[in-house]
């Protein structure tokens, strides 16, 4: 499973409302791609198409998609949000990450 904290959910709801993205037909997509200073980088996007091999998770009215290649890296991960002057914005709390870079955008496993 993957999770979204209440703070991240509130911020995603706000962004979706501002951008006119419907929760009924849209998904939050978590992913991993090669790159970044720690070898793997997180991806966070909106998507309106679920692929056959995607895993679907539901948290209240939020629907999360994770592709099959990213899931082993993201199992148990929580999307967090920190605002304010010193806030990080969105970031992932990933129990599978052995090393995370200083910016929190990439990791190694």
């Amino acid at each position: 499973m993957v999770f979204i904290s209440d703070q991240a959910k509130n911020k995603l709801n706000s962004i979706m409302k501002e951008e006119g993205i419907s929760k009924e037909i849209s998904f939050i997509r978590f992913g991993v791609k090669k790159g970044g200073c720690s070898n793997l980088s997180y991806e966070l996007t909106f998507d309106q198409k679920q692929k056959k091999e995607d895993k679907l998770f539901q948290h209240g009215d939020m629907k999360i998609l994770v592709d099959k290649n990213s899931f082993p890296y993201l199992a148990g991960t929580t999307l967090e949000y920190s605002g304010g002057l010193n806030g990080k914005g969105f970031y992932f709390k990933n129990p599978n990450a052995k090393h995370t870079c200083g910016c929190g955008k990439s990791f190694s496993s």
Side-chain angles (χ1 to χ4, degrees), residues 2 23 26 45 57-58 67:
V2 294
K23 287 189 279 186
S26 297
T45 59
F57 301 96
Q58 184 93 27
D67 67 83

Side-chain angles (χ1 to χ4, degrees), residues 30-70:
F30 290 8
V32 172
K33 65 179 179 179
K34 294 222 182 262
C37 54
S38 294
N39 191 35
L40 297 169
S41 295
Y42 296 109
E43 293 184 305
L44 178 64
T45 59
F46 295 114
D47 200 339
Q48 291 188 341
K49 294 184 181 175
Q50 181 178 1
K51 299 173 188 156
K52 183 179 176 183
E53 65 275 2
D54 287 336
K55 293 189 176 283
L56 173 65
F57 301 96
Q58 184 93 27
H59 288 278
D61 58 354
M62 288 279 173
K63 297 176 281 191
I64 306 166
L65 295 177
V66 180
D67 67 83
K68 70 177 183 176
N69 294 327
S70 296

